[in-house]
Amino acid sequence: MNRWEEKPLLKLEHLTMRFGGLVAVNDLSFSAGEGDITALIGPNGAGKTTVFNCITGFYKPTEGRIALRHGEAKVWDELDAATARPDRRMVRAGAGLYLLERMPDFEVSAHAKVARTFQNIRLFSGMTVLENLLVAQHNALMTASGFTVLGLLGLPAYRKAEKASIEKAKYWLDRIDLMDRADDPAGDLPYGAQRRLEIARAMCTEPVLLCLDEPAAGLNPRESADLNALLLGIREKDGTSILLIEHDMSVVMEISDHVVVLDYGTKISDGKPDFVRNDPKVIAAYLGVSDEEVEAVEAEVLS
Amino acid sequence: MANETQTGGRSVDIGHAAKDALLAGLIALGLFGVFIGLQTVQDISNRLVLKVRPEALAVIVGIIVVGRFLLNVFVWGREPSHKAAVASPSGGLLGMFKRLCFLVGVVVTLVAVVDIGFRLAGGALPNMPISPPGTMGLGSIILIEAVAALFGVVLIAFGQNMTERAAALLGPAGIGFLAAFPIIAILGAGWGGSLKWIDNFGIQILIYVMLGWGLNIVVGLAGLLDLGYVAFYAVGAYSYALLAKEFGLSFWILLPLAGILSAFWGIILGFPVLRLRGDYLAIVTLAFGEIIRMVLVNWVDFSGGYAGISGIPRPTLFGIPFNATDEGFAARFGLEFSPIYRTIFLYYLILCLALLTAFVTVRMRRMPVGRAWEALREDEIACRSLGINTTNTKLTAFALGAMFGGFAGSFFSARQGFISPESFTFIESAQILAIVVLGGMGSLYGVVIAAVVLVGGFEIMRELDFLKQIFGNDFDPALYRGLIFGASMVVIMLWKPRGLISTRTPTAFLKERKTVSGDLVKEGHG
Amino acid sequence: MEVFLQQLINGITLGSIYGLIAIGYTMVFGIIGMVNFAHGDVFMVSAFIAMITFLLIGALVGSVPVVIAIVLMLVVAMVLTSLWNWTIERVAYRPLRGSFRLAPLISAIGVSIFLSNFVQVTQGPRNKPVPGMLNDVIILVESPTYNVAISYKQIMIMVVTAILLAAFWYLVQKTSLGRAQRACEQDRKMASLLGIDVDRTISITFVMGAALAAVAGVMYMVYYGVVSFSDGFNPGVKAFTAAVLGGIGSLPGAVVGGLLIGLIEVFWSAYFTIDYKDVAAFSILAITLIFMPQGLLGKPEVEKV
């Protein structure tokens, strides 16, 4: 049994998103497993980024449920009960369920611990690399500063928290190899470094699920390989599961454990990389083969 | 060879320049012909009649034609393309102007400082070019020179692309100067004369510095465009005036109360509108500012309408009033009564309030919420993806800015003793906003420089009586204040769209604090 | 009922003037995304140009038929106001295009302050009364208590506004100029790559906005018979409110919004209290923006993530 079926972290059920008359995502269901790197792929305009925006709360889906689990997997049994209640989340000792489609965007990150990056990098380019990483620790620091009041008075508890936040930033600077550039404005970094910084910034929110929108776009092969190492490291060392949108098949096939393929807002394939790679529907979607031909190919493969 | 082509190019330029200058003259004639060439005046029977002013029109058009021609030949002519020079006012002209500013600034500052030194040391340089002939007292001269030195520093800042850090070196010196200003003024202009300097320049500029610093939190740091900031100034002023008159509460109780009330209004007004994007937010805040003013105008029972509120109690030094009675400040301390004590007291009061604003701003920038403000200014969506509650973050900025506006307002009403809606018009908001934007968004020093230039410049216009000798007696320099104010806003924006100090200082660093160029600072939503 | 009819007529007249100004706001916002804060003062300048032209005609020619005087005023005001707005765009806004977001706005506020002070300095701070024109009225409904009347100048304002709007509509919808404008609205860079002179198109937009504001200025001067240097701010903000209410960027929206604001103001004054009529207009602006930021006829905006 696959891990995403056995120990799912995120479950999308019957997700539909319409913009006016346009159906961007149509009745999409899939799961992402805990500790997996799940790739969401598909041709341009397939609705991948829309799915991301629904998961991270930037769009409110027209229909469907998006649920995320913290802690023990047993808690999934209570999903329907949690949905029946009007609450956005159900938390008890050692476990929690979050109904992401009910949460506004910032709560998805703050409470459900889902972090994301953007297709067109969104760094705070006039702030330094270090500051970018500190902004990401906003909520933790807010609590430590007693919602600014204690911090203004300069109490030691806040100083300690601030020191810890800088240590954490240093840890990530080391991981993404940008220690030397910590005090430079983020906008001055080369493109590849900006991509890495955006990932590190997302990781500073201590997510359980990291959503990456085309992290390898615009990277050269060497940077791409570094990225693979970084992502695998995040999964191993930090125990964060990853959901990514990617066009670069070398990245997808090399690092992902699970691939979901979208075309015109509908799921056309779902499985291990090897399975998806050989799925005639996927090949057809990418190469632009008509439906009859797909059926023909399918018949051939099956026979 | 190269010389020849250049000459060839220049000779072509002159024909072109002449044509261009004539065209500019024609446009000027079209623009100004109606307004300057003709004047509408009412005759005895109160009917409008036209008066013709051909000389004035000719002078203005002449200046434009000649000026344009000279600029074409000597300044823009050197640019590869004339059009490019118009499209981007950078490069040669700007560089030259900056160098000039820097030079003039250095000379003015040096001469002024050296001369002050000499004069204080007893003698005076025999033939100082800037010392006016004998009628003026030693003190006034020193005072004028001190102001000149300040302007010199401003010019240096202009010329030098001054960074926030370079300006920071001036910080302690500036605070020292501000703390010593009343003493300098008294030494300079004597008991009687110094009143004007401390009041019109010192207090007036500091009120605007404080308002600028308050609005800077909203506009400069959080990037929320607020065109109705004066509303909170008004809330503070009316809170103090009404509560002090009705309940006889003391200034020291009402000052924080006025701030809290303003912050409360900030939250009430801010809550529904803060999710709007930039320009819309600007217009809604403008609308709120106008609504509050109109309510003050029309709700006569509450606010006295146009007539305003007079006889507002003056602040006391912890219970000691500044008046001529036996209980008064002067009598208690065995001094002869003089209105100057109150003015000096007010000066230090507003100085402390302004410094409090600056202190809180500096501390807040290093707090998580302050960093979130700046992050919000750059990219709201990224902030939300990091779990920052943007509405609350904006509200804190809005409320904090409003609170300092309220403090300034209650100070204003305590200082004036009289307030009316006239003091809280849109133009006031525009002026405060101009100080923030011209100073450089987010820069505390920039705000000070802009306030000195705009408000100080405004006040200086009153003093320029010698212009009457040039333009005749019915020339009133004060009339031209608005004209020059508006034009200089445009000019400074064209010159430095990001304000005088456009760099930002990081709030945290590992090895060294490097300033960030303003060009990198994005502006997202907000 | 009679009062209602009379106020309807007054409201439409006022609304026509607001609508004409609002178009200038909406077009400029549509094409360069900037709130042209000085537009209200450009309107005020045009009213002064009209007033001076009127006096000039009187001084040079003596008495001429009112219709000819108004046509002359319209022509002169439209030409000179366009020249003003063209120059303003050229000097104060164009160099700031693509610069820091707040810079053009601050520059526009500067222009606004400059214009009102310029007129104050050159023409004096007092209100300028103009002899009334077209004051005759047609009585529409006669009743013992209240006569509903429409004056010739109200008819003129409505007719001129309607004709100009039709002509303008044709210009924007059917000509290549209008196409260029809409292209620049969508994507300025792409439009310039396709050979559209973007600078020229934007200039023309400012000229068109000014011409319509000039029409409004002439109408305002004729309607109220008095102008003052400070007359730019209030109608300017009201017209901007109208543009927002109608949906900023939408031309029909500007007209509809203008009419609505005119009607609301007039009815509020008639049925409630004249003191708070501006408060009513501003409250509507705030409420519209909060609950319906796209306005009545504007396109909803999807946040790009």
Side-chain angles (χ1 to χ4, degrees), chain B residues 83-104:
Chain B
K83 207 175 169 188
V86 173
S88 63
S90 60
L93 174 63
L94 186 65
M96 235 171 68
F97 205 82
K98 272 186 182 166
R99 279 194 291 280
L100 192 74
C101 277
F102 181 68
L103 227 78
V104 172

Side-chain angles (χ1 to χ4, degrees), chain A residues 161-204:
Chain A
E162 200 182 23
K163 219 169 248 159
S165 72
I166 289 184
E167 283 310 312
K168 191 184 199 179
K170 271 162 105 174
Y171 168 76
W172 279 105
L173 286 172
D174 192 45
R175 288 280 292 276
I176 58 172
D177 210 11
L178 281 177
M179 193 62 98
D180 294 338
R181 310 233 27 199
D183 297 326
D184 289 331
D188 263 355
L189 297 179
Y191 189 81
Q194 292 196 5
R195 282 261 176 232
R196 294 205 303 277
L197 176 58
E198 206 191 12
I199 293 172
R201 188 181 68 178
M203 285 308 293
C204 277

Side-chain angles (χ1 to χ4, degrees), chain B residues 26-27 30-32 34-36 38-42 46 48-50 53 83 86-87 89 219 223 225 227 272-273 275-280 282-284 286-288 290-291 294-295 298-299 381 384 426-427 430 433-434 437-438 441 479-480 482-483 485-487 489-490 493-494 497-498 523-526, chain C residues 29 33 35 37 45 48-49 51-52 55-56 59 80 83-84 86-87 90-96 99-103 105-107 109-111 113-114 117-124 126-130 199 233-234 237 240 244 248 275-276 278-279 282-283 285-286 289-291 293 301 303-305:
Chain B
L26 268 178
I27 292 173
L31 295 180
F32 300 135
V34 178
F35 287 97
I36 297 178
L38 298 169
Q39 189 187 16
T40 50
V41 285
Q42 265 129 315
N46 229 3
L48 281 184
V49 288
L50 285 176
R53 288 185 291 199
K83 207 175 169 188
V86 173
V219 180
L225 186 47
L227 286 182
V273 303
R275 61 197 175 87
L276 297 174
R277 60 191 193 81
D279 301 300
Y280 285 1
I283 300 301
V284 174
L286 184 154
F288 278 145
E290 284 297 295
I291 289 174
M294 282 168 204
V295 169
N298 288 311
W299 192 1
I381 288 176
R384 300 208 304 246
F426 166 72
I427 207 83
L433 181 69
V437 177
L438 297 181
M441 300 254 292
L479 249 183
Y480 291 81
L483 197 67
F485 177 62
M489 268 168 85
V490 176
M493 272 299 105
L494 294 181
R498 282 183 177 272
E523 335 112 54
H525 290 236
Chain C
F29 190 90
V35 177
F37 212 90
V45 162
F48 264 85
I49 294 174
M51 184 230 3
I52 294 172
L55 294 176
L56 202 61
L80 290 185
L83 187 65
W84 267 102
W86 180 84
T87 314
R90 198 58 206 260
V91 172
Y93 305 153
R94 189 181 296 182
L96 292 172
S99 158
F100 182 52
R101 175 174 59 101
L102 285 181
L105 185 78
I106 299 295
S107 187
I109 292 175
V111 170
I113 295 173
F114 175 84
N117 280 282
F118 172 74
V119 173
Q120 185 190 6
V121 165
T122 55
Q123 297 297 328
R126 295 176 66 178
N127 281 349
K128 305 282 177 183
V130 195
D199 280 344
F233 182 71
N234 232 331
V237 176
F240 183 79
V244 170
I248 196 147
D275 286 345
Y276 286 98
D278 291 346
V279 174
F282 286 125
S283 306
L285 171 71
L289 278 177
I290 292 166
F291 293 105
E301 203 174 305
E303 187 173 46
K304 272 268 184 213
V305 178

